[in-house]
Amino acid sequence: MTSRHRSSESTFSAAADVNSLAPHRRTVVKAAAATVLLAGPLAAAPSARAATSQTPAFLHGVASGDPLPDGVLLWTRVTPTPEAIPGSGLGPDTEVSWTVALDKAFSTVVAKGSTRATAASDHTVKADVRGLAPATDYWFRFSAGGTDSPVARTRTAPAADAAVTGLRFGVVSCSNWEAGHFSAYRHLAARGDLDAWLHLGDYIYEYGTGEYGTRGRTVRPHAPAHEIVTLADYRVRHATYKTDPDLQALHAKAPVVAIWDDHEFANDAWSGGAENHTEGAEGTWAARQAAAKQAYFEWMPVRPALAGTTYRRLRFGRLADLSLLDLRSFRSQQAPFGSGEVDHPDRTLTGRAQLNWLKAGLSASDTTWRLVGTSVMISPLALGALPASLLKPLAKLLDLPQEGLALNTDQWDGYTDDRRELLAHLRTNAIGNTVFLTGDIHMAWANDVPVNAGTYPLSPSAATEFVVTSVTSDNLDDLAKVPEGSVSAVASPLIKATNRHVHWVDTDRHGYGVLDITAERAQMDYYVLSGRTDPAATSAWARSYRTRSGTQRVERATAPV
């Protein structure tokens, strides 16, 4: 794929079912269009300047995640002393207690405990609290050395056999710190009606300051300023993101269910490397990948299903289960464009064990809806004739030749045998109501997922897919440096004409989704922001699409839920 000048700078284990850029690149629309050494990068981090006394401080907020019917995972990071900044390896062991209550005033405490924060885990702590009631709101906080953390709300999942009338999830992806402010998180936090929120990948970005798309303007510089490679680097970058007030607000309002994509590691990551990784200059890929994974599990309220992966399954009563995929740890290297290797049966996106797990889970599911969290788009994408004004920026964003393009090999289009096997499994076993929830592409889509795109709609649809746009990462208009909406007006009709399974695509706007599920339908309401560089950006409803039970097809809804 495209190259660039590079800098040489350098738990918890449970069953798989937990109920049991190269300055020129990256997928803006990936399928569519010791102390001294650490002092420099750490001093740049916002969190490095905040603790000024010997009293412990909770500078990175609190969070919860992976809700179960009887529990939830709680998270925080304590700064015990001023020198114990993220990534430093400094600071004393510190006892951290946690309390869970039925009310914000903590008059009805239902659970409490304590754990130790150590430099070995970057002073992050997790409490996997069990023995709670299903489908119940709780409030929690942490304490250390006489200091209390902020108070946060969380919610458990419904009982496995509960007849749930509705679920509501916020859905986000692709949040580049340098490109803007996280207003999408603020607006989701303000709703107060979410059972949970899903982050479908690219929660952080690995690039050095100014190296990744910000339309020529770095709104707020990354820390560390160089590209992150080491464990200390990844820790500092996660810590930087966790200082964002809008992100802290959302984490304090509802549990998150998160998966990673490539930028939690490096651009276009695969099992043996990444486009944005240079062996030798940046060390081995195995060491970098291990550092990225360690920092992720330290800093995220995620309960890993298998050591070093994020694929797992959550259940929400009899209404829905959610299979979450890890599409970076096991995949084959991306095929060269136009090589024909995309169809080779030995190439895999999921890895055999994960694909078998997914198929078995879909077959065994007894819920009304089967949700699948996938970090890259499963719907096929072909692009026909485009005007010259759009072809060059679109080819640039997709890493494709400017003389013509057909698909993006980083998503399921580059691993067609896995996709064929999965969709055939759905059809052969008459598994309906499967909805893929996707990020990565920095555009909003509402798609049917056809068994054979070439003959669709005469051939059947095996599933549906809702793709959310980016929180801040470049859309197509950002890369083309044209007014918002101008690219979509031209590109959207052309994409839909060539891809008859695509009901809607918005190439230009930033925002988030709200997925509302009942027994009768699953509906995605798409919201857009007035601007990504304005910390006070407003939010407005843009479109809604739904799939009715039993149809495996998407249709437009006239209003948000």
Side-chain angles (χ1 to χ4, degrees):
M1 295 198 168
T2 52
S3 61
R4 67 175 175 86
H5 296 294
R6 307 287 317 285
S7 168
S8 60
E9 293 184 80
S10 330
T11 86
F12 181 93
S13 180
D17 185 332
V18 296
N19 277 341
S20 56
L21 267 156
H24 333 292
R25 81 162 254 77
R26 171 41 200 152
T27 59
V28 174
V29 280
K30 200 116 169 225
T35 303
V36 174
L37 295 176
L38 290 169
L42 288 173
S47 57
R49 302 191 295 268
T52 57
S53 75
Q54 294 298 317
T55 303
F58 295 93
L59 306 176
H60 302 90
V62 297
S64 65
D66 283 3
L68 304 176
D70 69 338
V72 69
L73 190 69
L74 310 182
W75 176 93
T76 194
R77 199 268 179 180
V78 64
T79 304
T81 54
E83 71 273 12
I85 55 180
S88 66
L90 302 176
D93 292 1
T94 302
E95 193 75 14
V96 180
S97 63
W98 50 266
T99 307
V100 180
L102 285 171
D103 61 310
K104 194 173 184 179
F106 287 81
S107 59
T108 309
V109 172
V110 298
K112 59 172 57 178
S114 66
T115 186
R116 292 190 74 76
T118 70
S121 60
D122 208 23
H123 288 97
T124 62
V125 296
K126 292 182 180 180
D128 196 355
V129 182
R130 302 297 176 96
L132 304 180
T136 302
D137 288 352
Y138 290 97
W139 298 86
F140 68 96
R141 68 187 174 201
F142 293 87
S143 302
T147 300
D148 291 337
S149 75
V151 174
R153 169 196 174 269
T154 190
R155 183 171 176 81
T156 50
D161 61 349
V164 181
T165 58
L167 293 167
R168 189 167 293 168
F169 302 120
V171 190
V172 292
S173 74
C174 304
S175 43
N176 180 9
W177 172 275
E178 291 205 332
H181 297 278
F182 296 160
S183 296
Y185 297 154
R186 173 167 48 86
H187 288 289
L188 280 171
R191 294 181 62 97
D193 63 352
L194 302 179
D195 292 284
W197 56 287
L198 314 182
H199 200 296
L200 296 171
D202 297 344
Y203 182 99
I204 64 166
Y205 279 74
E206 86 278 16
Y207 287 100
T209 290
E211 291 185 349
Y212 181 61
T214 57
R215 202 172 185 176
R217 175 187 175 191
T218 297
V219 177
R220 45 185 184 171
H222 266 143
H226 58 264
E227 183 177 314
I228 55 176
V229 176
T230 67
L231 176 58
D233 291 341
Y234 282 97
R235 285 169 164 174
V236 174
R237 187 64 56 88
H238 273 281
T240 301
Y241 278 61
K242 282 290 200 301
T243 63
D244 182 87
D246 296 329
L247 179 55
Q248 288 193 7
L250 183 52
H251 273 305
K253 292 300 284 289
V256 67
V257 178
I259 55 175
W260 55 44
D261 194 27
D262 52 343
H263 290 296
E264 285 87 349
F265 302 91
N267 181 58
D268 283 358
W270 58 287
S271 60
E275 179 273 335
N276 190 21
H277 179 75
T278 304
E279 289 279 342
E282 294 175 325
T284 67
W285 174 250
R288 184 174 183 177
Q289 183 186 54
K293 288 187 174 184
Q294 180 175 336
Y296 185 89
F297 285 121
E298 289 171 346
W299 281 87
M300 294 293 290
V302 168
R303 187 185 291 110
L306 300 170
T309 81
T310 56
Y311 78 82
R312 61 206 191 278
R313 184 172 294 115
L314 298 168
R315 181 184 175 101
F316 298 86
R318 296 205 301 267
L319 186 56
D321 55 34
L322 171 60
S323 300
L324 299 148
L325 304 185
D326 176 352
L327 300 183
R328 294 296 166 181
S329 295
F330 312 106
R331 69 157 71 198
S332 308
Q333 186 172 8
Q334 295 84 350
F337 173 77
S339 67
E341 294 178 17
V342 295
D343 296 324
H344 198 287
D346 289 342
R347 291 178 43 74
T348 181
L349 178 64
T350 62
R352 173 47 56 188
Q354 184 176 199
L355 185 56
N356 287 344
W357 167 87
L358 176 59
K359 290 164 57 182
L362 293 169
S363 292
S365 175
D366 61 353
T367 58
T368 302
W369 296 95
R370 280 149 289 283
L371 310 177
V372 181
T374 173
S375 57
V376 294
M377 197 161 81
I378 191 169
S379 300
L381 174 66
L383 297 175
L386 287 173
S389 60
L390 291 183
L391 184 57
K392 184 174 181 179
L394 189 54
K396 176 182 178 182
L397 297 178
L398 293 174
D399 289 337
L400 297 175
Q402 294 181 17
E403 68 274 11
L405 40 123
L407 50 78
N408 172 19
T409 63
D410 187 60
Q411 59 190 42
W412 289 78
D413 273 340
Y415 305 85
T416 60
D417 199 65
D418 276 3
R419 182 169 62 196
R420 276 193 298 268
E421 181 177 337
L422 178 56
L423 299 185
H425 179 77
L426 294 176
R427 292 290 300 171
T428 300
N429 294 280
I431 300 170
N433 290 359
T434 302
V435 181
F436 291 91
L437 306 171
T438 308
D440 177 74
I441 201 169
H442 305 188
M443 299 160 65
W445 303 68
N447 305 326
D448 298 335
V449 184
V451 174
N452 187 332
T455 59
Y456 194 76
L458 297 178
S459 58
S461 175
T464 54
E465 181 175 35
F466 297 127
V467 184
V468 294
T469 188
S470 62
V471 171
T472 58
S473 301
D474 275 357
N475 303 130
L476 193 53
D477 66 311
D478 296 319
L479 266 249
K481 293 182 171 58
V482 296
E484 184 178 89
S486 56
V487 175
S488 223
V490 177
S492 181
L494 293 173
I495 291 170
K496 289 171 62 180
T498 310
N499 302 269
R500 288 172 289 181
H501 55 283
V502 174
H503 291 256
W504 178 64
V505 55
D506 182 339
T507 67
D508 292 4
R509 294 184 286 185
H510 304 279
Y512 57 94
V514 176
L515 178 70
D516 190 276
I517 306 171
T518 67
E520 293 73 34
R521 54 99 185 108
Q523 177 168 321
M524 182 71 84
D525 298 330
Y526 296 88
Y527 292 85
V528 296
L529 301 171
S530 60
R532 62 173 174 169
T533 62
D534 178 7
T538 59
S539 169
W541 171 70
R543 287 264 185 129
S544 291
Y545 285 86
R546 66 190 175 198
T547 175
R548 294 184 186 270
S549 181
T551 66
Q552 279 68 252
R553 292 178 186 265
V554 164
E555 64 182 24
R556 187 171 178 179
T558 57
V561 176

